[in-house]
Amino acid sequence: MKIDHLETITLRFEYADGFRYAGGQCTARVTSLVLVHTDSGAVGIGAAYSHPGLVHLIVQEQLAPLLIGENPTDVEAIWQKMYRITRWYGRKGVAMSAIGAIDTACWDLRGKSLGKPVWELLGGQRITCPAYASALLWKEPAALAEEAARLIDRGFRRVKMRLGYGGDADRAAVRAVREAIGPNNDVMCDGSMRYSLEDATTLAEFLAENNVFWFEEPFEPEDIDSYVALSSRASPPLAAGENEFGLQGFRELIRAGALDIVQPDVSRCGGITEAKRVADLALTAGLRVAPHSWSDAVAITANAHVVAALPHGITVEVDQTGNPFVEELLVEPLTVRDGHLTLSKAPGLGIELNPATLNRYRLNDPLHHICRTARTPT
Ligand SMILES: [Mg+2]
């Protein structure tokens, strides 16, 4: 099997109303899919969550000429080849996300050529993966309570809410969700990088008292010292990683003792190959893994394959904000029952893209799309 060509598909969706969070108002969503077409007719599917124009440029102008004619099932060799050629401007950010999309598509093809699902190739023993609802953006407490109860009714057992309101409003929001979901379900809190060490320390005590499952990204990703300081104080487990890239970036966080839960995202940090390396490193440090996933159903599925293969994999994130790239992108939509996503036994990632969704949201000129209104990772 040889790579024939690479196809990038940029998707963009505008909300009727959008939602508010600590970073502002979100009015639209974007994501990039990368298809690896082969001479055998088999097609591998991957996703990148980054600036869509730059993903398109790097995939088509830099990586495609390098990969055409290569055997896509040589996944690790292809990863090294892509990393070496992008290192001088890559290492973190969009180049790693573009590499990751191709890497994920190559894993899909490796599975298809061997007749096995990716989770099994990664050493997994279970076809199901715990999954949590990612939603509960900025609203009044009563509306948050109503939404949280609805998510539990939908089959989730864990929900993630956004904080960053500050002061008493944070507390009122957490109390409302905690009461709505009851003591037998879990709530996680995302700080959206909006806290000082002092404010996060005070809030973390309250979150611990309310049995919050993890406290995510209270600080900006560069502020490793604050993560280290907070991790030694009374707090729920500290989680971060959606804004980190590559094994070396995660190694820095892990070595510093900054985190309890590591959140690599296959569609951002460098693909299935790199997410698995990060997860293996986390295991040696006694940490747990819960990938970030916010962009589309391909990314969620790829992250779920990794989690399903990990003894220390906790759960995967499933966007519940009404994102069509989560709900309508696959012929067989993702379903969560009793807090678990069931993966497919079909070879590779076991997914098929819905052509009607691609046609409806496809952006023909990703290079000239400006991400002013696009969602930042959360
Ligand atoms: Mg987040």
Side-chain angles (χ1 to χ4, degrees):
M1 188 193 291
K2 287 182 178 169
I3 296 176
D4 183 75
H5 67 281
L6 305 184
E7 181 182 3
T8 45
I9 300 173
T10 305
L11 300 176
R12 186 173 195 280
F13 161 77
E14 280 194 36
Y15 285 104
D17 300 319
F19 52 77
R20 283 175 63 236
Y21 76 117
Q25 178 80 12
C26 172
T27 58
R29 303 291 291 269
V30 290
T31 196
S32 304
L33 305 179
V34 177
L35 308 187
V36 174
H37 293 264
T38 66
D39 61 353
S40 73
V43 180
I45 306 170
Y49 185 41
S50 188
H51 188 293
L54 297 176
V55 169
H56 176 81
L57 257 185
I58 293 171
V59 169
Q60 293 302 340
E61 300 298 324
Q62 174 107 76
L63 300 174
L66 186 75
L67 299 180
I68 288 165
E70 294 285 321
N71 178 352
T73 66
D74 288 342
V75 178
E76 287 80 5
I78 284 179
W79 195 96
Q80 292 299 338
K81 204 168 182 177
M82 294 191 288
Y83 187 74
R84 272 192 213 112
I85 204 167
T86 55
R87 181 186 266 138
W88 65 283
Y89 64 88
R91 299 185 68 242
K92 294 197 180 196
V94 62
M96 284 297 271
S97 306
I99 287 173
I102 294 171
D103 174 81
T104 300
C106 288
W107 272 100
D108 190 24
L109 287 166
R110 180 184 265 182
K112 283 170 175 163
S113 76
L114 294 171
K116 292 193 170 182
V118 170
W119 58 266
E120 200 179 317
L121 295 180
L122 294 171
Q125 301 296 314
R126 55 183 181 178
I127 194 169
T128 62
C129 171
Y132 71 93
S134 186
L136 301 164
L137 288 115
W138 276 16
K139 287 179 180 175
E140 292 300 317
L144 286 173
E146 196 183 309
E147 185 185 342
R150 210 167 45 237
L151 293 168
I152 299 299
D153 285 347
R154 228 181 264 170
F156 288 96
R157 297 294 169 260
R158 288 184 176 135
V159 299
K160 185 164 81 186
M161 62 187 300
R162 274 69 186 179
L163 297 182
Y165 304 90
D168 290 344
D170 279 337
R171 290 170 174 71
V174 173
R175 277 194 202 99
V177 172
R178 169 45 82 203
E179 262 177 42
I181 65 172
N184 297 324
N185 296 303
D186 292 320
V187 57
M188 293 84 111
C189 293
D190 190 332
S192 299
M193 306 182 283
R194 287 299 186 281
Y195 292 90
S196 65
L197 177 58
E198 189 184 358
D199 290 346
T201 303
T202 310
L203 177 60
E205 275 179 37
F206 170 81
L207 299 183
E209 286 161 17
N210 281 272
N211 206 18
V212 164
F213 192 75
W214 75 55
F215 187 14
E216 176 172 322
E217 270 203 328
F219 313 116
E220 291 174 344
E222 297 82 5
D223 188 8
I224 297 177
D225 291 350
S226 289
Y227 282 97
V228 174
L230 184 58
S231 71
S232 65
R233 300 175 193 179
S235 171
L238 270 182
E242 69 184 77
N243 287 302
E244 192 51 82
F245 300 85
L247 178 63
Q248 301 307 327
F250 280 94
R251 187 171 69 159
E252 199 178 339
L253 292 175
I254 291 170
R255 268 185 175 170
L259 300 177
D260 302 297
I261 294 169
V262 185
Q263 299 181 298
D265 180 341
V266 162
S267 72
R268 285 177 57 74
C269 82
I272 288 175
T273 297
E274 199 72 341
K276 181 66 166 59
R277 288 176 184 148
V278 169
D280 291 344
L281 182 67
L283 183 62
T284 67
L287 306 181
R288 295 179 292 166
V289 175
H292 168 267
S293 213
W294 180 249
S295 46
D296 61 74
V298 175
I300 293 170
T301 303
N303 279 313
H305 276 263
V306 174
V307 172
L310 299 177
H312 56 316
I314 306 174
T315 182
V316 72
E317 179 169 11
V318 182
D319 176 354
Q320 290 293 295
T321 62
N323 178 350
F325 310 145
V326 171
E327 292 167 10
E328 301 164 26
L329 188 60
L330 304 183
V331 171
E332 289 284 329
L334 303 173
T335 50
V336 174
R337 289 198 186 88
D338 201 20
H340 286 73
L341 193 66
T342 299
L343 293 167
S344 172
K345 284 184 182 165
L349 293 175
I351 53 173
E352 198 182 330
L353 298 173
N354 182 342
T357 304
L358 300 183
N359 288 336
R360 187 167 175 197
Y361 298 109
R362 190 167 190 158
L363 197 65
N364 288 321
D365 185 8
L367 286 183
H368 296 97
H369 163 69
I370 298 171
C371 283
R372 269 196 298 266
T373 56
R375 187 80 181 84
T376 54
T378 194

